[in-house]
Amino acid sequence: RRLDSRSGPAAGLLCECQTPISTEPMESVYEFTGELGRGKFAVVKRCVEKATGKVFAAKFLRKRRRGRDCRAEVIHEMAVLETARNNARVVNLHAAYETDHDIVLMLEYAAGGEIFDHCMSEELLPEAQITRLIRQTLEGVHHLHQSSLVHLDLKVCTLTLTHSLTHSHTHAHTHSHTHCSWSPQNILLTCLSPPGDIKIVDFGLARRLGAVGELREILGTPEYVAPEILNYEPITTATDLWSVGVITYMLVTGESPFVGDDKQETYLNVSQVNVDYSMEAFSRVSELAVDFIRKLLVKTPEDRPTAAECMSHPWLWQLCLSPEPASTRSVRERSCGTKWGAPAEDPEDKEN
Ligand code: ADP
Ligand code: MG
């Protein structure tokens, strides 16, 4: 059999999934009640299971893309979701259907929308909420990494270049989010207000690392970048930690760290890790938060802490709202002897 380097295990794709793909008409089981979002090759619709009244998010994935059969990519996405089935931070796969054009994944519904909405809103979340959401994100990422999976698409850089060119002539120095935004569209919330728990979605670009050598190429890449991706260097789990750094930056400042007036300037900012921590937006941000971000936004992937190491950064624990469930604690305890020095103090252990 011909080994296609563009798909299959050599490209980090999983080839088998357990969830049966039903060809029964979905319409008899679900009622579709509107659109939740869309990406390049997918539309996500809200739907209600008629028998139970339960709400799901139906992700319609096109089987053919650019004239190519992409069934393998869909199977891969399902297999990754199955690998993470027991993780509360990853959206659950309930069922799958097949129509003439699509494979439809019935996913656990995350009612709070994208965490991105909190990055760009006028009112930022309090740091105590942000640390809770980042801890949860790290739990999910840690779990994926333990299975040798990298998400690679925790945030998306959407660059609408035509817009940006016309725009930059008139507003040469504005940092407009309309023409270039880094948006963590793949981290959702179970509830918007008060912010619920996070759910990681969209494993279309996720890849399995290891065994077959270095992974350098990502197919159908949207315009998202960590320096190692720009420089065509091997991809590792550290790429996801870069994204966690970007997302944290956005949640605490409400701004995008590398956005430039055009695509080239943005790419340059990323590859030089051009971050200004002295700007106005950081005036109300705690020193520990800055320290956390600084440690993640470093050029060399090996110098970034792992997800488990991040979990013991003192910033994540100083403003703890409530005692953490055992699952979080155990991830933290496994990460002893980290780059952060002494492990963070337990909130419950505080004397006063
Ligand atoms: P794509 O691969 O095309 O980027 P995603 O899986 O990211 O597709 O879904 C696109 C958008 O649909 C998401 O950014 C989000 O706004 C919405 N969405 C996806 N999954 C869910 C879900 N389980 N619950 C609620 N909304 C969802
Ligand atoms: Mg997406």
Side-chain angles (χ1 to χ4, degrees):
R1 212 182 67 174
R2 191 173 65 95
L3 187 69
D4 186 353
S5 67
R6 286 166 59 89
S7 63
L13 294 181
L14 306 181
C15 306
E16 274 169 57
C17 69
Q18 254 96 61
T19 308
I21 302 176
S22 168
T23 48
E24 301 287 305
M26 298 179 291
E27 287 74 15
S28 57
V29 186
Y30 299 91
E31 188 185 322
F32 292 86
T33 56
E35 194 177 305
L36 291 169
R38 58 170 68 223
K40 239 182 190 153
F41 303 109
V43 182
V44 180
K45 293 178 186 169
R46 190 180 179 280
C47 66
V48 182
E49 193 174 41
K50 290 176 187 171
T52 61
K54 266 191 88 173
V55 180
F56 291 96
K59 181 171 182 177
F60 289 70
L61 284 146
R62 289 225 308 269
K63 287 190 278 189
R64 289 193 74 79
R65 302 168 195 174
R66 298 193 186 111
R68 204 165 67 84
D69 178 12
C70 287
R71 199 185 165 84
E73 273 87 338
V74 180
I75 301 295
H76 163 74
E77 188 163 342
M78 291 174 67
V80 175
L81 285 164
E82 288 170 0
T83 306
R85 174 152 280 159
N86 297 321
N87 192 280
R89 304 307 174 208
V90 172
V91 88
N92 204 46
L93 175 63
H94 174 68
Y97 287 82
E98 181 159 8
T99 67
D100 287 348
H101 298 289
D102 301 296
I103 292 178
V104 186
L105 311 186
M106 294 297 173
L107 301 164
E108 175 184 1
Y109 174 55
E114 300 165 14
I115 203 176
F116 161 65
D117 297 333
H118 286 290
C119 302
M120 295 304 167
S121 72
E122 288 295 298
E123 225 165 291
L124 296 170
L125 289 171
E127 266 191 40
Q129 279 291 353
I130 297 172
T131 52
R132 187 180 65 88
L133 299 177
I134 295 298
R135 284 201 305 270
Q136 293 188 349
T137 304
L138 287 167
E139 279 172 44
V141 167
H142 173 73
H143 186 268
L144 292 169
H145 290 181
Q146 282 201 312
S147 313
S148 297
L149 291 166
V150 273
H151 187 285
L152 297 179
D153 199 14
L154 290 172
K155 52 119 189 46
V156 182
C157 178
T158 321
L159 292 154
T160 318
L161 200 58
T162 44
H163 192 155
S164 108
L165 288 174
T166 48
H167 198 92
S168 61
H169 285 300
T170 44
H171 304 85
H173 302 292
T174 52
H175 266 219
S176 169
H177 296 298
T178 56
H179 72 270
C180 180
S181 62
W182 294 74
S183 52
Q185 290 164 325
N186 295 329
I187 300 180
L188 307 184
L189 292 169
T190 53
C191 175
L192 180 64
S193 185
D197 297 325
I198 69 110
K199 294 281 173 188
I200 300 175
V201 299
D202 193 357
F203 292 85
L205 287 185
R207 291 294 181 268
R208 168 154 278 161
L209 298 173
V212 247
E214 289 173 345
L215 187 61
R216 284 173 195 266
E217 192 187 27
I218 297 302
L219 307 168
T221 313
E223 289 154 317
Y224 79 104
V225 270
E228 59 271 28
I229 289 169
L230 274 186
N231 298 332
Y232 203 65
E233 284 159 11
I235 292 154
T236 67
T237 52
T239 303
D240 284 342
L241 276 307
W242 171 273
S243 302
V244 172
V246 174
I247 291 162
T248 307
Y249 182 112
M250 292 177 70
L251 286 171
V252 298
T253 65
E255 293 181 17
S256 189
F258 301 109
V259 68
D261 286 331
D262 54 41
K263 192 168 166 171
Q264 252 171 339
E265 195 181 307
T266 301
Y267 278 22
L268 205 64
N269 286 343
V270 172
S271 61
Q272 298 175 346
V273 197
N274 202 354
V275 188
D276 181 7
Y277 295 97
S278 66
M279 55 195 264
E280 161 75 20
F282 273 103
S283 59
R284 285 170 304 274
V285 175
S286 73
E287 272 177 43
L288 280 174
V290 173
D291 184 72
F292 182 82
I293 297 166
R294 268 184 196 281
K295 286 183 165 122
L296 289 172
L297 297 185
V298 296
K299 184 162 174 134
T300 311
E302 302 83 68
D303 292 342
R304 291 173 213 149
T306 65
E309 284 166 348
C310 282
M311 288 296 282
S312 64
H313 191 282
W315 177 59
L316 294 178
W317 303 96
Q318 59 156 5
L319 296 163
C320 232
L321 289 175
S322 57
E324 281 301 297
S327 64
T328 314
R329 303 270 304 265
S330 65
V331 172
R332 230 180 108 213
E333 276 148 19
R334 261 182 267 130
S335 69
C336 285
T338 67
K339 292 179 189 178
W340 311 115
E345 238 179 313
D346 253 320
E348 297 94 319
D349 291 345
K350 287 230 168 87
E351 302 272 329
N352 37 11

